[in-house]
Each structure stands twice: as structure tokens, then as C-alpha cells.
Amino acid sequence: MKTARLFSILLTVAFVIMSFTACQPEKNDQGEPAAQTETTTATEEINIYDMENYKSSEVFDFVKVYQGGKYDDLCTTYQFNYLSDGLKIEGYLCIPLSAEKTQKPSKCVMFNHGGNRQFGKLESNMLAPICAVCDRIVVASQFRGCGTSEGEDHFGGDDLNDVIKLIDLCENTFSFIDMDDFCVIGASRGGVMTYPAARKDSRIKRIIALSAVCDLFETYEVRDDMKTVLKETIGCTPEEKPEEYEKRSAVYWADEIKIPVLMFHAKQDKQVPYSQAENLYAKLKDSTDCTFITYEDDSHSDVKPEDYQTIRDWLNQE
């Protein structure tokens, strides 16, 4: 019993000595305490507006676009590419410098341009005025078959996926975008991309229509030059496949649009008849909050200086 008790005491003493030794700082060859290795690292601040953070297999080739003039002092524009249905699509981002300074996510406006194929393609300087005045990020797609984008223009067919995919990137990839109050602007043919996208995607909270097409049956009838364009891009006439024209024409399903709409249209517009906007407004005002601003001239899809402030006020209203 005495032997066992002695052994237990010796074991306890040895443990205490080992514990004390382990707590002492290590010494160098001169017997001095060795320098301790820093185990904690300072958290580096991440610039959420640095495009290098967002390069991936789906979004790539970010290039800063210098526009010259006052807008370079107010916003930064990037050209980039992204994948939609396996096609490389040209996109644009315009970011207000005020947002970059705060390093907080900013609200966003998508711009859907007009034209078809290479006619009316998106130019980077189209986005800066909207970005600067509205103080919101602006994103845009060149759509397939336009600019450097791969694929073919189908005038609101499967090229609508290019719009939806860009909204996906805004929500899931670009962490600097606040998806609350996500607004889409459709100019001329852009109406064919905007109204159906809003019909399909509930992430779109508002629409701004600039001389926007909303009735391709009428467009086909009143413009001989568009007969060829529509037959080539859609692949049929209204008589052959009316359903293809109807799904691109918001006037036929206006009651499905339940979000606020701000419309601009000139009464003498020679490219998109004023009657299209007039007919759509008559239906929209019964189903949603719709504001219709008209002009007496023949302007088409141009944003007048006073319109920018109107758009900003409309976006900022509660």
C-alpha cells in the first residue's frame, strides 16, 4: 500500500512539472525567450465592386470602358461576357461612383435596347446617363446575334433567356446588386424583351417603357420593312404562327402585368405607332399602377433631359 501511494505521489509531481514546463516560453540558443509566431491574421477588407471577384466560367472578360466627359467622374462602365444557353453574350455594367464609395450593394436598373441584329445595337454610353441621374447600377445585354454576342436574334424568342440569365447573375453572382425594386427599361424593340420577361420573372418589380413595342401584329401590318425582319428573326408570319407573335405582344395579355409601369411615347412616332402604347395603357390602367407620358413630336425611344428626373422621381417614390 505504501509503495502504491508513493508511486501515485511521484506521478502527480511529474505531471505538475511537465505542465509547468509546457507553459514556459521557448528559448533560443542564448537562453533568451524565442520570438512567438503570430497566430491571428487581420481580416482583409474586400472591395465588392472589384470585378476580379466575379470572374468565373459563367461570367468573364471584364473590361473597363472609358467614355470621356463628365460621366467618367460619376460612374464606371464595364463590358463583359456571360454564358446563356451555352452562347457567349456581351453584357454591360455601369456603376455609380457613389455606390463604390459606400461599399454597399446598390439598387439596379436593367436596360433592354432596341433594334434587331446589328441595327440599333447597345452602345456603352447609353447607360451612363441613367446610372448618373438615377444613382443606380445599370446592367444590359446585347442579346444573341447582336454586337459580339454569339447566336441568332429571334426577336423575343429564346433570346429572352439572355435577359433572364442576366437577372440570375444580378441576384446570385454580383453581390454588389440589391435586388429590391429591380426595374427593367425597354426601349422600342426592348419592349418585346421587357414585357414578356416581367410576365415570366417575378424578380422584376417595375417597368419603364420608352416607345416600346407591345403589338407585333400591328408592327407587321404597318411597316413593310419590318415584315422582312420579323419573318427572318421569328421564322414565320403572323398568319402562319399567330401564337409566336402573341407571346411577344403585351397588349394581348396586359392583365397579367401586375407591377407599376411608366410609359413614354410620342404621338407622331413613325417606328412604333402611338396607338400601340395607347391601347396597352387602356388595359394596364385597369390592372396596375400605370403612368403614361406623351409628346406631340415624332421622337422615338429618346430620353429627354427632363425625363431623367421624372424617371428618378418615379423610382424613388414609395
Side-chain angles (χ1 to χ4, degrees), residues 137-289:
I137 294 171
V138 183
V139 297
S141 171
Q142 200 70 278
F143 314 141
R144 61 190 65 182
C146 182
T148 61
S149 296
E150 297 175 343
E152 296 181 358
D153 183 354
H154 290 158
F155 217 88
D158 53 10
D159 45 358
L160 190 63
N161 293 340
D162 304 341
V163 173
I164 302 301
K165 180 61 180 181
L166 187 52
I167 299 176
D168 291 342
L169 293 177
C170 290
E171 181 180 35
N172 302 319
T173 300
F174 299 142
S175 63
F176 50 83
I177 289 181
D178 178 353
M179 290 299 291
D180 289 344
D181 198 30
F182 190 87
C183 177
V184 181
I185 300 175
S188 191
R189 173 266 177 85
V192 174
M193 312 300 285
T194 299
Y195 287 123
R199 183 190 192 189
K200 180 179 182 179
D201 198 318
S202 62
R203 292 174 294 184
I204 299 174
K205 305 302 183 185
R206 303 197 201 195
I207 293 172
I208 298 174
L210 306 175
S211 311
V213 176
C214 62
D215 188 347
L216 281 186
F217 291 95
E218 183 181 46
T219 299
Y220 187 92
E221 289 301 320
V222 302
R223 287 188 57 181
D224 289 337
D225 59 330
M226 287 301 294
K227 284 183 171 65
T228 300
V229 170
L230 295 176
K231 283 190 289 187
E232 289 178 352
T233 55
I234 298 177
C236 58
T237 68
E239 292 77 17
E240 292 168 340
K241 290 186 178 180
E243 67 277 8
E244 290 296 326
Y245 282 72
E246 183 174 321
K247 75 180 185 180
R248 294 165 167 84
S249 303
V251 72
Y252 292 94
W253 33 266
D255 60 323
E256 296 183 39
I257 299 174
K258 304 295 185 182
I259 57 178
V261 180
L262 175 61
M263 302 172 65
F264 297 87
H265 216 106
K267 292 183 178 180
Q268 305 304 318
D269 191 332
K270 294 178 174 59
Q271 297 188 54
V272 179
Y274 175 75
S275 57
Q276 289 199 23
E278 194 174 34
N279 293 337
L280 181 61
Y281 174 66
K283 296 183 177 183
L284 286 177
K285 67 180 183 179
D286 292 332
S287 61
T288 190
D289 176 14

Side-chain angles (χ1 to χ4, degrees), residues 27-192:
K27 296 184 179 181
N28 57 24
D29 295 338
Q30 286 74 40
E32 299 172 342
Q36 299 297 302
T37 302
E38 183 66 50
T39 57
T40 59
T41 57
T43 303
E44 295 182 2
E45 292 187 3
I46 297 175
N47 179 2
I48 65 171
Y49 289 96
D50 182 355
M51 295 304 119
E52 290 293 323
N53 297 327
Y54 305 102
K55 290 182 178 180
S56 68
S57 59
E58 283 196 319
V59 56
F60 44 90
D61 295 339
F62 285 97
V63 176
K64 185 178 291 187
V65 179
Y66 293 96
Q67 301 167 129
K70 63 180 181 180
Y71 292 118
D72 282 334
D73 295 328
L74 298 172
C75 50
T76 306
T77 301
Y78 297 92
Q79 182 184 29
F80 66 99
N81 290 303
Y82 66 98
L83 293 182
S84 174
D85 295 338
L87 299 171
K88 185 173 73 171
I89 305 299
E90 181 184 353
Y92 285 89
L93 266 169
C94 193
I95 302 171
L97 294 183
S98 60
E100 293 188 47
K101 289 178 181 178
T102 65
Q103 282 297 300
K104 294 179 180 179
S106 174
K107 292 183 178 180
C108 183
V109 174
M110 173 180 281
F111 181 79
N112 288 332
H113 68 87
N116 66 88
R117 293 169 288 198
Q118 295 300 334
F119 173 74
K121 68 180 180 180
L122 182 69
E123 302 292 343
S124 61
N125 59 8
M126 294 178 179
L127 308 183
I130 302 171
C131 176
V133 174
C134 296
D135 199 33
R136 293 193 180 204
I137 294 171
V138 183
V139 297
S141 171
Q142 200 70 278
F143 314 141
R144 61 190 65 182
C146 182
T148 61
S149 296
E150 297 175 343
E152 296 181 358
D153 183 354
H154 290 158
F155 217 88
D158 53 10
D159 45 358
L160 190 63
N161 293 340
D162 304 341
V163 173
I164 302 301
K165 180 61 180 181
L166 187 52
I167 299 176
D168 291 342
L169 293 177
C170 290
E171 181 180 35
N172 302 319
T173 300
F174 299 142
S175 63
F176 50 83
I177 289 181
D178 178 353
M179 290 299 291
D180 289 344
D181 198 30
F182 190 87
C183 177
V184 181
I185 300 175
S188 191
R189 173 266 177 85
V192 174

Side-chain angles (χ1 to χ4, degrees), residues 297-315:
D297 59 20
D298 62 353
S299 58
H300 176 70
S301 71
D302 297 326
V303 181
K304 301 180 188 298
E306 62 270 23
D307 293 341
Y308 285 116
Q309 189 59 50
T310 299
I311 290 172
R312 176 171 181 157
D313 292 344
W314 185 79
L315 287 173

